């Protein structure tokens, strides 16, 4: 089962499908060396543009652009999807747990946007989907992301090597967000 919600509104944010107006913001989060420091490094702009051209207007269930409610300005992206079985880091046999992923523009760090958006997304999922584990994976060196996962209620379940770095796997039960 996947999330059916198309938009989720919070006090300051709107989680919604991507639009052409988000293109430069998406390019920014993929090419900014500081944003990508714990995500495998920046990608070349041409590669990101080519990917966006290829994807077009494809809507992936559980995938959202985070936008400012008052200005509609792009803040970042957030997704609640299934963790692939062919990567390490699982809490159930066979994998395919729900996985929360997010990335925000550097200028929007430290404003509580990631916490607000993740809380809203996880609450919506808890109301729609059956109870199940939700995981978050972050590079162990990414202290900001680890702090956010902890604040959201995820507990460390494991560490493992992937992408040439130690990763931390956090887990929570979906019902905890109701």
């Amino acid at each position: 089962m996947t999330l059916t919600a198309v938009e989720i509104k919070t006090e300051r944010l709107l989680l919604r499908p991507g639009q052409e107006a988000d293109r430069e913001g998406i390019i920014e989060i993929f090419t900014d060396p500081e944003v990508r420091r714990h995500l495998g490094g920046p990608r070349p702009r041409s590669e990101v543009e080519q990917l966006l051209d290829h994807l077009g207007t494809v809507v992936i269930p559980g995938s959202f652009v985070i936008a400012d409610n008052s200005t509609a300005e792009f803040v970042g992206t957030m997704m609640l999807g299934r963790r692939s079985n062919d990567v390490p880091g699982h809490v159930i046999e066979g994998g395919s747990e729900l996985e929360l992923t997010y990335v925000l523009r550097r200028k929007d760090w430290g404003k509580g946007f990631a916490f607000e958006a993740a809380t809203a997304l996880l609450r919506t999922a808890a109301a729609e989907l059956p109870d199940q584990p939700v995981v978050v994976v972050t590079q162990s060196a990414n202290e900001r992301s680890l702090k956010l996962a902890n604040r959201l209620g995820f507990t460390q379940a494991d560490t493992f090597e992937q992408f040439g770095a130690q990763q931390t796997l956090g887990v929570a039960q979906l019902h905890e967000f109701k």
Side-chain angles (χ1 to χ4, degrees):
M1 295 181 85
T2 58
L3 194 60
T4 62
V6 177
E7 288 189 350
I8 302 168
K9 192 170 185 173
T10 72
E11 183 180 328
R12 301 180 297 162
L13 304 170
L14 177 64
L15 282 69
R16 59 163 173 74
Q19 303 170 350
E20 183 60 31
D22 303 319
R23 186 177 180 93
E24 282 304 313
I26 293 170
I27 291 169
E28 181 182 331
I29 62 174
F30 275 94
T31 60
D32 184 315
E34 188 62 23
V35 170
R36 301 285 304 171
R37 182 168 52 149
H38 299 291
L39 298 171
R43 291 206 170 138
R45 182 182 177 98
S46 61
E47 180 184 308
V48 177
E49 288 176 338
Q50 185 176 22
L51 174 66
L52 293 174
D53 290 343
H54 175 72
L55 290 176
T57 58
V58 172
V59 176
I60 302 167
S63 181
F64 299 90
V65 159
I66 306 166
D68 183 289
N69 254 348
S70 58
T71 65
E73 184 178 357
F74 177 90
V75 171
T77 63
M78 186 165 282
M79 182 173 182
L80 187 65
R82 295 283 169 194
R83 184 157 176 80
S84 178
N85 294 334
D86 62 353
V87 297
H90 294 281
V91 294
I92 58 174
E93 193 170 327
S96 288
E97 302 89 342
L98 284 173
E99 180 179 18
L100 176 68
T101 60
Y102 50 87
V103 61
L104 274 63
R105 290 171 112 168
R106 184 172 7 148
K107 72 178 198 154
D108 291 312
W109 290 358
K111 297 178 181 178
F113 289 157
F115 180 80
E116 185 174 330
T119 299
L121 178 55
L122 291 166
R123 283 184 181 155
T124 300
E128 277 194 32
L129 302 174
D131 188 34
Q132 58 195 291
V134 180
V135 298
V136 63
V137 177
T138 188
Q139 228 182 67
S140 300
N142 189 342
E143 293 176 11
R144 293 177 78 112
S145 191
L146 289 172
K147 184 177 176 182
L148 174 60
N150 189 347
R151 186 171 172 216
L152 287 166
F154 286 83
T155 57
Q156 183 176 331
D158 197 10
T159 58
F160 56 91
E161 290 290 319
Q162 188 180 21
F163 308 120
Q166 182 180 3
Q167 308 293 320
T168 296
L169 174 73
V171 66
Q173 292 297 315
L174 196 55
H175 76 267
E176 296 170 7
F177 299 99
K178 283 187 177 180

